[in-house]
Amino acid sequence: MTSVGSLATKPLFGLPLAELWFALLFFIFGMFLFLDGFDFGVGVLFATRDDDHEKEQLLAAVGPFWDGNEVWLVVFGGALFAAFPSVYANLFSRYYLLMFAILAALGLRGLAPEMYEEREDSRWRTLWGYSFVIGSIGTPFLLGVFVINWLVGATDLITPVGVLGGVTVLALTIVNGAAFLGLKTRGALRDEMRYYGVQAAVGYLGIAISALGAIYVTEPGLRASFRSPLVVALVILTATLTGIYVVALRRHRYYSAFAATAALVFGLVGLVATLLFPFVDRTAGLTIREAIISTLPLNLMSIMASVLLPIVLVYFVVLYSAFSGPVDTEESYG
């Protein structure tokens, strides 16, 4: 048994807690990008709909989930602050305008469906429909810019590789949203979502490869990491999963497509984490071991996380089980 005294001097059970918290941090971000990613994708695909009933179906599909999914972003910020407070401070001071833009886009995405349902007026609904789409496009794009800036250690808010990263994440959310709508819709609407999903998947693969190529060319310090077996394996896995996704959609295997989307999201997040490792803030030159908090609070946090995280995961399993299956054709967001 671990004694109270050893908690202050030794990592819990001798585990590499710094590296485990680094992995947990990106796992949490991956959960947000996967779960809220399909909400963003549905928001983008909302722009393709002219029929009011179809718009209501798309809103109803994400209605029970989107606010809960955002919890993972809060948990990500909390975990970053708790485990790597200096990195949290550096990132938020370095990219504070970008952070405010992300929060503004996220707020617009959340507010728009609520306002959309308040009135039947066509101009009102057009305004908030556009707002929903803009928020759904802006949030993943800006998140992608932030993550790539973090990875390469950019000091400017907007960079060419950051823009490519933003478009990559945006395309991935459309892939995700189309797969989710394959599970939640029926008939002609589902068929159209399948078409958009295939197109988005092909686009995602091309853009992702372009973004990786741009990073390789512009960031000499990362070139050795690109040649590591794990990075090569993740790139090959991404191409394979994209093919699986396309085949699954064309064969109407929507659960398989959704599972492939989850793997694509975590593959992308894992690729970023692998390229960043062993640094956690490349601009400041901080490695994981240098930035992690002291042993005692790290041990206590690890104990709390091992208890609370499974509870959160069980909650989401229950939530998604309760609202599984396609939405009714006459169902609405409200």
Side-chain angles (χ1 to χ4, degrees):
M1 180 177 290
T2 303
S3 66
V4 175
S6 65
L7 282 175
T9 57
K10 298 178 182 179
L12 195 66
F13 303 121
L15 295 170
L17 292 182
E19 287 78 9
L20 288 175
W21 271 92
F22 179 78
L24 178 61
L25 187 68
F26 279 93
F27 169 77
I28 292 168
F29 185 75
M31 288 297 293
F32 170 72
L33 189 58
F34 171 52
L35 294 179
D36 219 21
F38 68 70
D39 296 332
F40 299 137
V42 170
V44 177
L45 292 167
F46 185 88
T48 67
R49 302 295 91 202
D50 293 322
D51 183 79
D52 288 338
H53 289 297
E54 292 183 344
K55 289 180 178 180
E56 290 289 352
Q57 285 183 63
L58 265 60
L59 291 175
V62 298
F65 306 115
W66 71 263
D67 51 349
N69 293 339
E70 288 183 354
V71 167
W72 290 102
L73 184 60
V74 177
V75 175
F76 170 76
L80 181 62
F81 174 76
F84 303 101
S86 59
V87 177
Y88 178 93
N90 290 342
L91 291 177
F92 274 73
S93 61
R94 191 180 304 139
Y95 306 126
Y96 73 95
L97 288 177
L98 189 56
M99 297 294 188
F100 278 117
I102 291 170
L103 291 176
L106 195 61
L108 184 63
R109 191 286 306 264
L111 177 65
E114 306 292 340
M115 300 302 293
Y116 182 89
E117 295 293 332
E118 287 296 313
R119 289 163 55 178
E120 299 288 339
D121 180 78
S122 61
R123 288 187 178 180
W124 176 268
R125 290 202 157 186
T126 298
L127 169 65
W128 289 108
Y130 278 125
S131 299
F132 182 50
V133 174
I134 291 169
S136 299
I137 292 173
T139 306
F141 173 77
L142 293 170
L143 277 170
V145 173
F146 164 71
V147 169
I148 296 303
N149 283 353
W150 181 12
L151 168 63
V152 303
T155 54
D156 296 328
L157 289 182
I158 304 296
T159 62
V161 291
V163 170
L164 275 174
V167 177
T168 300
V169 173
L170 176 59
L172 182 56
T173 62
I174 300 172
V175 172
N176 197 356
F180 176 74
L181 289 174
L183 297 173
K184 302 298 288 184
T185 58
R186 299 186 180 108
L189 179 57
R190 174 189 272 181
D191 291 338
E192 282 199 55
M193 295 303 107
R194 187 174 73 247
Y195 168 79
Y196 288 125
V198 171
Q199 300 303 310
V202 174
Y204 167 70
L205 184 59
I207 297 165
I209 292 173
S210 299
L212 290 173
I215 294 171
Y216 184 86
V217 169
T218 59
E219 301 296 329
L222 287 172
R223 290 175 187 171
S225 298
F226 270 94
R227 294 190 286 269
S228 73
L230 181 55
V231 169
V232 173
L234 286 170
V235 172
I236 294 172
L237 179 63
T238 296
T240 304
L241 287 168
T242 303
I244 291 171
Y245 173 89
V246 170
V247 171
L249 278 187
R250 286 179 172 171
R251 295 183 178 180
H252 305 272
R253 296 178 179 175
Y254 298 106
Y255 281 103
S256 297
F258 197 53
T261 302
L264 279 171
V265 170
F266 282 98
L268 178 62
V269 172
L271 182 59
V272 171
T274 303
L275 290 171
L276 184 60
F277 186 87
F279 291 97
V280 70
D281 186 352
R282 195 177 298 277
T283 306
L286 286 174
T287 64
I288 297 167
R289 293 279 175 136
E290 292 168 340
I292 197 71
I293 57 172
S294 59
T295 304
L296 178 58
L298 182 61
N299 283 336
L300 294 176
M301 272 201 328
S302 300
I303 294 170
M304 292 176 61
S306 66
V307 174
L308 295 177
L309 190 59
I311 295 173
V312 174
L313 291 171
V314 169
Y315 163 77
F316 274 87
V317 170
V318 173
L319 173 66
Y320 279 81
S321 298
F323 293 98
S324 61
V327 297
D328 188 87
T329 55
E330 298 300 320
E331 192 171 342
S332 66
Y333 178 80

